[in-house]
Each structure stands twice: as structure tokens, then as C-alpha cells.
Amino acid sequence: MKTAKSVSAVGLLVAIGIVFGDIGTSPLYVMKTILLLSDNTRPEFITGVVSCVIWTLTLQTTLKYVLIALRADNKGEGGILALYALIKRNSRKWLYVIAALGASTLIADGIITPAITVTTAIEGLDAINPATPTIPIVITIITLIFIMQRMGTGSIGKFFGPFMLLWFLMLGTLGVMSVHLYPGIFKAFNPWWAIKVLATYPGSLLIVGAVFLCTTGAEALYSDLGHCGRLNISVSWLFVKVMLILNYLGQGAWIIAGGDTAANPFFAIMPHGMLIPGIIMSTGAAIIASQALISGSFTLFSEAIGQNFIPALKIKYPSSQKGQLYIPVINTFLFIGCIVTVLLFGSSSRMEAAYGLSITITMLMTTVLLAFYMHRKGLHWTVSVGFFIVFGIIEGGFFIANMMKFAQGGWYTIAIASVLLAIMMVWYHASALRRKYVEIRNFPDYYGIISDIKADTEISKYASNVVYVSTSAAEDEIESKLIYSIVNKHPKRADHYWIIRFNHVDDPFTLDYTCRPLIPGTLYSVRINMGFRVQPQINVYLRQIVEDLVADGKLDLTSSFPSLRKHGIPGDFKFILIHRRFSPSSNCTGRDRTLLSLYEKIRLLGISPEEALGLDTSTVEVETVPLIINRNPSRRITPLPIN
């Protein structure tokens, strides 16, 4: 395959298969939702509604996301957290709240999207048999979708593109077959009809909320930038947009021509003999769209870990395909969320009330970050401010319209997003607070004692190589607890001491290192620069670093034990991780105490420190030490005289 930056037939097909699933299934429910909100089928009203859809796809999806957002790539990666990583260093500090809010609402939207898409597709069976047990079928399909995640999609992913290509061709064909019912529907391309219906229809805000559903997949489109590349997405969008608009035109013409408003226009415009194949295609498209959203959620959580918004989670790689990852605990979380959604709402018409509100917040947050990105790129401030005003007004209108559905279901995704946002904020602030209270020492002051410990044969050798992970910023700084571990707790005599520091950089896939001897032949400082998409694997990285040093003649790794050295056997490695647990004896403010206590509870959701760093547990020792804040107690115990 060609690179993601180049346009190719394969790249276009892949983009159609994995990028446009969400937005490509919106014709299943957009016009149906509008009919549920209004029984008005007059030509001028329906033409205005279709015009709203066309211009929403044009302004929101084409202009903002395809033409502008896709250019805001972080080394080829897209999405709200990749965008935040791109601008956070030289921008306002409070932007982390914007990024976390956008990410949490995007995840909440990802929970309800598979539920509504699959449910709407299966409800097409009602046209054949109204007694069809929709809910059990939907739950079965959703269960199979989530089971499939753990196996990866490498073996079946190659079918997504051809299938979705057929899906979009079917959308366009059905639309073309129906527009003759009312040729005047083509007037919808004139934005005046959209303006007219919004200005004159009494319930226009409700209609705006329903129209917004046609573009909910635009944010996912930006998030998938790294999989396909900007040009492949941009070119394939031209085809996808044409097919979508043709289908909406066909549905609108059918409604104006006197179609049954109680039916779903999407299935109603199908010839009767095509209904079963159409339902099968709809279900397949819903499954592919759901799979893409779930995979996108895994990527989003992986980036959130890299940005220190959530604790480290166990990540698996079910296939060798780029970007293919699987997070078991998140898969379970999303699965439970989808099942609860189906059981709680029961039908797609009720789910539609909950759908759209959270994603409008994500889009608003993306708009804020894009405005800062434009400013950082050197564009005149009037351009970034103008961009923010235009899309802030558009998305603000969508947000207000969707807020009208809050009591009917919008509360559901907002509640989910609020829980996720609270976890992110607590973890982010508590992590910063913990770093603030770590006691730092001047490292060179201890070089002499470390050398003496190495030379002291009275101390039993702990290991040939002792490895510590440090969070200190500079090489001449070290945590007091790390020194305490080497010198005081149990003097650790070794041939070599390794201090590893991770530097998390804003580029997604950066992975390089520097290694500097602090005490020649004894103490080494290693700094690993790691992107937010790279998973820590200390065992692997340190082995590669040591191999480089040995190859350059800068390190003798052979064991110092005579019996082992005689046979050229290398020395062993022992990793020491220091876990600082918040001490109840700390004298701190109520806010700090609450944050650090919650941090300890949230940490239980993640994996152990050794798993988070990709370490072999057989070579790791975790030393738990108290994190004591404000050592000076409020009172001091008084000694009594001894008689």
C-alpha cells in the first residue's frame, strides 16, 4: 500500500470502509426523526429541511472538518487529543480542560452510536413483520460486535471498504430512483430554503437538533486521519457526500409525494423486493460503523493515557495492522453502556432524543482548539477569531437545539461524559499534585556513596544491574526516596546503576533516547523520548540501549562473578519501582486530601506500575513508600521526665 499521504485506489477504498461508517449510516434515522418531531409534509417545509441537511454537510463536515481540521494533523494523526498535543506547549494552560471535555463527550457519543445505528437497521424488519423481536436481535448483534474486538479486524477489515462502497452506491441509487416523485426537491440546494424554514417554522430548534444528526460522524472522520491520510479522506468524501445527498433528496421527494409518515423513509423508498437485502445491507453498515467507532474509542483512550488524563490500562494488539489495538476494560465498559442504552430506551426513536447533545460539545471544543492552532500557525488573529465566531455560532445553535432534548434523553450521554470528565480532571490534577510534593535531591552529592557501595564487598550483591525509573526533570536531580532505596532501606550493591527517565513528547510516534554515564562504568542516565501513541516497554528499550552501548565498546555487560564471567554470561537486571502511596498522616488542605484519596481509588481501575511500564514481573520489585505532605505535624509529642 502507498503511504497514507498519497492518493491511491486502495487508500480511497480503506477510507470509505473505516472513516465514513458513522456519517454514512445517518440516512437511516435523520428524516425519520424529523417526521417524528413534525407532521408537516408541505413541499416548502420538507425542501427546507433537506436544504438544512445539505448545507450542514457542506459547512460543518466539508468546510470545517475536511478542508480545515484535516490539515491540523500531528505527524499525520488527527482527533481532539492529537490536536491538543500539537498546541498545548505554547498555548493557554486551561486548554487541557477543553481537550478533556471534548474527549469525554466524544466517548459518551461512541456509547450510544452503535446502539442507535444497529437498532434502526433491525427496526427495518417491522415493515415485513411488526411482531419482530427487535431488542433481542439488537442485543445479540451488539454482543457479537464486542466479542469480535478482542480478535481484531485484520482478517475481515479488507471487506469493509468494498461493502461500504456498495452501501453508498445503494444510498445514491435509492435516492435517484425516488427523486422523480417530486423533482422540485432539487431546490434544496438553494440555502434560502434552509433559512426560510428556520426563520418561519415555530419548532425550528427541534428541527435543527434532528438535522444535526446528519453530521455527527464528522468528528470521527477527523479522528481517523492517521489511518488513511488527508488526501484519501478528502477525495473519498466527494463521493460519499454525493451519495448521501442523493439519498436525502430521494427521501424528501417521497415524503412530499404523500408517503406514509409513520414509516421510516429510508426503508420506504426501497422497492418491496429489495427490502430484505436492504435491511441486510443496513445491518452490515451499522456493524462496520459500530466497529470503527469502538476502535476509535480504543485509540482515544490510548491517547488519554499518553496525555496523563487517565491511569494506564492494559492494551493488547490483536493484529499487526497499524493502529489496531484492543483495551479489554474499555471494551467491557462500552459493551455495558451499549446494552444499557438499548434496554433503557427500547427503540431508536427514543434513543434519538439522547443522541447528538454530547457530540455538539465535542465539536465546540474542537473549534476552540482549532482556533488556537490557527493562531499558532501564524495566521492573522482575525482569521482564527473569525473561524471561532462562525463555527461557534453554528455549533452553539446545534447545542441549544439539542439541549431541548435534555429531559427526553440528552441527560444520558451528558451523565456518562460528566463521570468520564470527573475521572480525567481528578487524575490530571492529582498527578500534578503528587509531583509537586516529591522531595528532590542534588544527585551529584550521592555519586561518592554509590561508588563506595559498589566497591564494598561486605555488602552482598543485589544484582549485576539495578534499574530505577525516575520522574525528576534533570539529570543532576533525583527523588529522595530513590536515594533512600539505594542507600538506606537495603544498600543495593551492583555493577551498574541505571536511572531511566521518560520524556513524553507531543509527537505521536517519537521513540528515541540519550544515554549519559554519570559515573563512568557505574552509573548511567537514560532519557527515553516517547510519543503519546507509543506504549512503554522498558525491558525491550533498555535491552536495545545496552546492545548499542556494548556494540560501541562503552559497556561491559559480562557478569562480574568469576564463574559466570569465565563463560561470558551477561549480568542480570533487577528493576526497582517506587510507588508513592498517599499517607493519611499528611497535613494538607481538604482539597488536596480529597484529590489524592480519589487518585488512589481511580488508580485501582488501571494496571499495576510494572504492567504499565511493560516489565517482566519476575525481575521487578515494587517498593511502596509513603507520600507525606507537610511533614510538620500540627502538634509535637512532649517527652516526660524519667524518675
Side-chain angles (χ1 to χ4, degrees):
M1 184 189 297
K2 295 182 180 180
T3 64
K5 294 183 179 179
S6 62
V7 176
S8 66
V10 174
L12 294 173
L13 195 61
V14 169
I16 290 173
I18 67 174
V19 174
F20 301 108
D22 188 5
I23 201 168
T25 51
S26 58
L28 283 167
Y29 44 77
V30 171
M31 297 303 292
K32 178 172 81 76
T33 303
I34 292 171
L35 290 179
L36 287 173
L37 295 173
S38 173
D39 57 0
N40 188 344
T41 59
R42 290 180 298 175
E44 60 270 21
F45 174 75
I46 298 300
T47 301
V49 166
V50 175
S51 181
C52 287
V53 170
I54 292 173
W55 285 98
T56 296
L57 289 173
T58 299
L59 294 175
Q60 190 68 12
T61 309
T62 305
L63 181 57
K64 177 187 172 182
Y65 282 96
V66 175
L67 296 181
I68 297 176
L70 289 185
R71 295 179 182 274
D73 68 294
N74 190 338
K75 302 296 183 182
E77 295 298 310
I80 190 164
L81 290 184
L83 177 60
Y84 167 67
L86 194 63
I87 65 173
K88 68 177 183 179
R89 181 163 297 180
N90 300 315
S91 299
R92 305 288 182 179
K93 291 183 178 180
W94 50 263
L95 285 180
Y96 74 92
V97 179
I98 300 295
L101 178 57
S104 59
T105 49
L106 182 58
I107 293 166
D109 179 76
I111 288 176
I112 197 171
T113 299
I116 188 174
T117 306
V118 174
T119 302
T120 306
I122 298 302
E123 283 177 348
L125 293 171
D126 291 344
I128 301 173
N129 180 10
T132 301
T134 303
I135 299 302
I137 296 174
V138 170
I139 290 177
T140 300
I141 291 174
I142 288 177
T143 302
L144 293 174
I145 291 173
F146 281 95
I147 290 175
M148 183 174 64
Q149 299 306 312
R150 70 184 62 193
M151 298 178 289
T153 57
S155 59
I156 61 174
K158 58 185 177 182
F159 297 111
F160 287 0
F163 186 94
M164 292 303 292
L165 177 62
L166 291 176
W167 166 256
F168 286 115
L169 288 172
M170 186 186 81
L171 292 183
T173 302
L174 290 173
V176 170
M177 292 169 59
S178 302
V179 290
H180 73 279
L181 297 174
Y182 182 74
I185 194 66
F186 284 103
K187 291 185 292 185
F189 284 102
N190 186 342
W192 166 248
W193 291 92
I195 296 171
K196 183 178 179 181
V197 76
L198 294 177
T200 60
Y201 180 67
S204 59
L205 269 180
L206 288 174
I207 298 303
V208 167
V211 167
F212 176 75
L213 300 180
C214 77
T215 190
T216 52
E219 190 70 36
L221 177 153
Y222 179 36
S223 298
D224 282 324
L225 173 60
H227 292 101
C228 308
R230 179 177 65 85
L231 294 178
N232 284 315
I233 294 175
S234 300
V235 173
S236 55
W237 169 243
L238 297 175
F239 163 75
V240 169
K241 183 182 178 183
V242 170
M243 297 299 105
L244 289 173
I245 289 176
L246 285 174
N247 193 265
Y248 285 120
L249 290 170
Q251 291 189 47
W254 176 85
I255 295 170
I256 294 173
D260 181 9
T261 56
N264 185 339
F266 178 82
F267 292 107
I269 64 175
M270 292 183 182
H272 187 73
M274 188 182 170
L275 199 54
I276 294 295
I279 293 172
I280 293 173
M281 289 289 293
S282 301
T283 304
I287 290 172
I288 291 173
S290 300
Q291 193 283 325
L293 279 168
I294 296 166
S295 296
S297 296
F298 293 156
T299 300
L300 190 62
F301 273 99
S302 175
E303 293 177 345
I305 294 170
Q307 298 288 356
N308 200 35
F309 282 129
I310 59 175
L313 303 171
K314 188 176 185 62
I315 299 177
K316 296 183 177 180
Y317 298 88
S319 76
S320 59
Q321 184 177 347
K322 180 185 176 183
Q324 185 81 181
L325 51 87
Y326 168 67
I327 307 178
V329 67
I330 299 304
N331 194 60
T332 302
F333 165 70
L334 295 175
F335 171 67
I336 293 173
C338 283
I339 296 300
V340 169
T341 301
V342 173
L343 295 177
L344 180 64
F345 292 96
S347 66
S348 62
S349 59
R350 294 183 63 193
M351 291 179 201
E352 284 149 9
Y355 192 41
L357 177 56
S358 63
I359 198 65
T360 58
I361 299 175
T362 304
M363 290 182 171
L364 278 166
M365 299 306 102
T366 300
T367 295
V368 173
L369 296 181
L370 281 172
F372 276 93
Y373 171 79
M374 290 178 174
H375 179 70
R376 185 192 172 197
K377 294 295 287 185
L379 296 177
H380 196 272
W381 67 268
T382 55
V383 176
S384 56
V385 171
F387 170 84
F388 174 76
I389 291 174
V390 170
F391 286 99
I393 291 174
I394 293 174
E395 290 160 359
F398 284 135
F399 174 74
I400 294 171
N402 280 288
M403 275 298 294
M404 297 183 68
K405 303 186 296 181
F406 182 84
Q408 289 72 37
W411 60 268
Y412 180 68
T413 51
I414 295 300
I416 295 172
S418 298
V419 172
L420 293 171
L421 179 62
I423 291 173
M424 290 182 181
M425 290 295 94
V426 168
W427 187 264
Y428 187 89
H429 284 284
S431 297
L433 187 61
R434 287 168 61 87
R435 291 192 298 270
K436 176 183 175 182
Y437 286 109
V438 171
E439 185 179 352
I440 299 296
R441 302 277 181 85
N442 183 42
F443 202 8
D445 292 345
Y446 298 91
Y447 289 176
I449 192 170
I450 290 175
S451 297
D452 290 342
I453 290 175
K454 174 183 176 179
D456 189 349
T457 57
E458 293 296 316
I459 302 175
S460 59
K461 183 173 290 188
Y462 183 78
S464 296
N465 296 271
V466 178
V467 185
Y468 285 90
V469 176
S470 172
T471 58
S472 58
E475 288 182 345
D476 60 353
E477 296 178 344
I478 199 70
E479 300 95 317
S480 62
K481 296 298 184 182
L482 195 151
I483 291 297
Y484 179 84
S485 173
I486 297 176
V487 177
N488 303 100
K489 184 171 184 178
H490 174 79
K492 295 180 174 63
R493 180 170 166 247
D495 297 326
H496 306 110
Y497 299 86
W498 302 84
I499 308 299
I500 297 181
R501 295 175 176 86
F502 284 101
N503 180 33
H504 295 278
V505 299
D506 298 332
D507 293 339
F509 297 108
T510 294
L511 184 60
D512 51 42
Y513 77 92
T514 59
C515 180
R516 183 169 300 160
L518 303 181
I519 304 175
T522 300
L523 179 62
Y524 296 87
S525 174
V526 177
R527 184 177 297 276
I528 298 176
N529 301 307
M530 194 166 60
F532 59 86
R533 280 284 192 93
V534 179
Q535 298 303 311
Q537 292 179 293
I538 292 186
N539 274 344
V540 175
Y541 303 152
L542 184 57
R543 184 175 67 247
Q544 294 171 352
I545 293 168
V546 167
E547 288 173 353
D548 290 346
L549 293 174
V550 171
D552 293 340
K554 298 178 180 178
L555 175 69
D556 181 6
L557 193 61
T558 310
S559 174
S560 61
F561 291 109
S563 60
L564 299 179
R565 190 172 189 83
K566 176 181 178 181
H567 298 281
I569 296 175
D572 63 323
F573 280 78
K574 188 74 173 182
F575 293 83
I576 310 297
L577 299 182
I578 297 178
H579 172 61
R580 299 167 182 84
R581 186 182 297 275
F582 175 60
S583 174
S585 64
S586 298
N587 180 22
C588 58
T589 65
R591 174 186 176 276
D592 289 356
R593 184 179 296 276
T594 300
L595 274 176
L596 293 171
S597 297
L598 288 173
Y599 177 95
E600 293 295 336
K601 292 179 173 60
I602 294 173
R603 188 178 63 83
L604 299 176
L605 300 174
I607 55 180
S608 65
E610 56 268 34
E611 286 183 289
L613 293 170
L615 284 169
D616 181 355
T617 55
S618 65
T619 63
V620 178
E621 180 179 331
V622 179
E623 295 182 356
T624 300
V625 298
L627 178 68
I628 301 177
I629 300 176
N630 295 338
R631 294 172 180 270
N632 297 325
S634 56
R635 292 187 61 186
R636 183 171 182 83
I637 190 168
T638 303
L640 292 175
I642 299 175
N643 293 331

